[in-house]
Amino acid sequence: MINFNGNIAAQDDNILTQNRAFLYGDGVFETLKIINNKILFLEDHYFRLMSSMRVVRMEIPMNFTMEYFEEQVLKLVQEKGLSASARARITVFRNDGGLYLPKTNEVSFLIHATSLDNTLYSINTASYEVDLYKDFYVTKQLLSSIKTTNKIINITGSIFAHENGLENCILLNDTKNVVEVLQGNLFMVMGKKLITPPVSEGCLNGVMRKQILALAKKVEGIEVSEEVISPFDLQKADELFLTNVITGIQPISKYRKKDFTNNNLAHLLVQKLNESISEN
């Protein structure tokens, strides 16, 4: 028996009682964008998921191929009538049993999907203010570069942003350098140079981050670099934007006392991003 919200019930009536993702954050996940019944950047998502499972020592099922991964996601999206444009999340978690030491490394997965309004990416030019979040810091380690179900820093940071009228917050690592934003990777433009923190600083090895780096390297006159960024560097930037698979690119309009009105590179990269999707 268990006590759930003051009610005594049979343990078997609550599937969370032994769920390791719920009890210990023992899970990894991928958030996907589907356009016209196609998962964008499928290969990148698949290999990051496999890599994440290996990092946390999960047993990868023999049938968990990229084709199987694609089939399971699209089957749900089609069933829900969301093939035109959807957001899907696949969460992989270690099976029930054990305390900190699991009884098995075998896994189960859960996929859910919701509709999206837009198909291709676009630039949102509305006011988008960010600031630093300094209550907790991201550690510079391999676990920080993968998507686990332990996102308590992102949760508390999102609450802080909401309470302070911000659209987002910038996370720092344990050496007080810039890592990323709460919902994605961060890019900074200084003159003709596009800079983002290296994965070794503790940032997520983002799928959209990878696309933007590749596209920017093809832009004539733009130097692309992965460098350590301090909070002070941000106030000297000409342009700031964040990236993730669902939004694409979101320009930042204000950081502390600095207003950013230039988002020329962000616009150009969104155009090139959409062209690359259409070509594929």
Side-chain angles (χ1 to χ4, degrees):
M1 306 297 287
I2 60 169
N3 185 324
F4 182 66
N5 286 337
N7 299 310
I8 303 299
Q11 180 170 305
D12 292 343
D13 290 343
N14 191 313
I15 62 173
L16 297 179
T17 306
Q18 298 296 321
N19 183 279
R20 295 189 59 83
F22 170 71
L23 294 174
Y24 304 112
D26 191 3
V28 294
F29 71 96
E30 287 290 320
T31 303
L32 316 168
K33 184 167 184 174
I34 295 94
I35 294 178
N36 297 327
N37 205 41
K38 178 183 177 182
I39 300 172
L40 299 187
F41 323 118
L42 171 62
E43 186 174 288
D44 292 326
H45 281 294
Y46 173 75
F47 285 114
R48 186 173 67 174
L49 180 61
M50 296 302 102
S51 176
S52 299
M53 292 175 67
R54 290 189 184 98
V55 168
V56 299
R57 299 179 182 271
M58 290 177 172
E59 184 176 315
I60 300 175
M62 291 294 293
N63 68 331
F64 212 168
T65 63
M66 187 163 66
E67 292 73 20
Y68 179 76
F69 173 83
E70 179 181 30
E71 177 189 354
Q72 296 305 311
V73 172
L74 294 182
K75 181 166 67 173
L76 175 65
V77 169
Q78 291 162 4
E79 180 69 24
K80 296 187 69 175
L82 304 177
S83 298
S85 186
R87 170 189 185 133
R89 168 171 159 156
I90 178 167
T91 305
V92 180
F93 51 92
R94 217 178 313 258
N95 287 345
D96 295 354
L99 301 173
Y100 286 152
L101 177 63
K103 288 186 176 179
T104 179
N105 286 320
E106 294 180 349
V107 299
S108 296
F109 67 86
L110 174 69
I111 304 172
H112 62 274
T114 54
S115 63
L116 289 174
D117 293 333
N118 299 320
T119 51
L120 294 178
Y121 293 106
S122 61
I123 288 284
N124 179 0
T125 56
S127 174
Y128 199 93
E129 183 177 356
V130 306
D131 205 338
L132 301 178
Y133 180 60
K134 299 186 289 185
D135 288 359
F136 304 105
Y137 299 96
V138 177
T139 54
K140 294 195 288 184
Q141 58 167 328
L142 182 59
L143 281 175
S144 299
S145 70
I146 65 176
K147 301 188 81 168
T148 73
T149 51
N150 183 352
K151 288 293 183 183
I152 199 67
I153 293 179
N154 304 71
I155 293 166
T156 56
S158 295
I159 295 170
F160 172 86
H162 178 72
E163 290 175 344
N164 288 275
L166 302 168
E167 276 68 45
N168 214 320
C169 278
I170 296 169
L171 297 173
L172 303 175
N173 60 23
D174 37 16
T175 53
K176 309 300 187 294
N177 288 317
V178 170
V179 177
E180 57 195 6
V181 293
L182 296 168
Q183 297 94 8
N185 292 107
L186 182 67
F187 285 81
M188 174 178 75
V189 180
M190 299 275 279
K192 295 295 184 180
K193 191 173 185 179
L194 177 65
I195 307 168
T196 194
V199 173
S200 59
E201 284 296 287
C203 72
L204 178 70
N205 190 12
V207 168
M208 183 55 71
R209 175 184 184 273
K210 178 181 178 181
Q211 316 307 316
I212 295 305
L213 285 172
L215 290 171
K217 288 175 181 177
K218 298 177 183 178
V219 176
E220 186 176 352
I222 294 294
E223 178 187 354
V224 179
S225 179
E226 297 179 54
E227 298 178 13
V228 173
I229 298 174
S230 78
F232 306 103
D233 293 332
L234 300 177
Q235 297 187 70
K236 297 181 290 183
D238 298 309
E239 187 176 349
L240 292 177
F241 59 83
L242 63 95
T243 65
N244 63 52
V245 162
I246 301 302
T247 302
I249 295 177
Q250 171 61 58
I252 291 170
S253 62
K254 185 173 184 179
Y255 165 68
R256 301 209 152 178
K257 295 182 179 180
K258 176 71 178 285
D259 291 313
F260 298 91
T261 56
N262 175 14
N263 49 32
N264 294 338
L265 186 56
H267 276 278
L268 177 60
L269 289 171
V270 166
Q271 177 185 335
K272 291 187 174 296
L273 179 61
N274 285 331
E275 288 172 357
S276 69
I277 292 170
S278 299
E279 290 170 359
N280 296 324

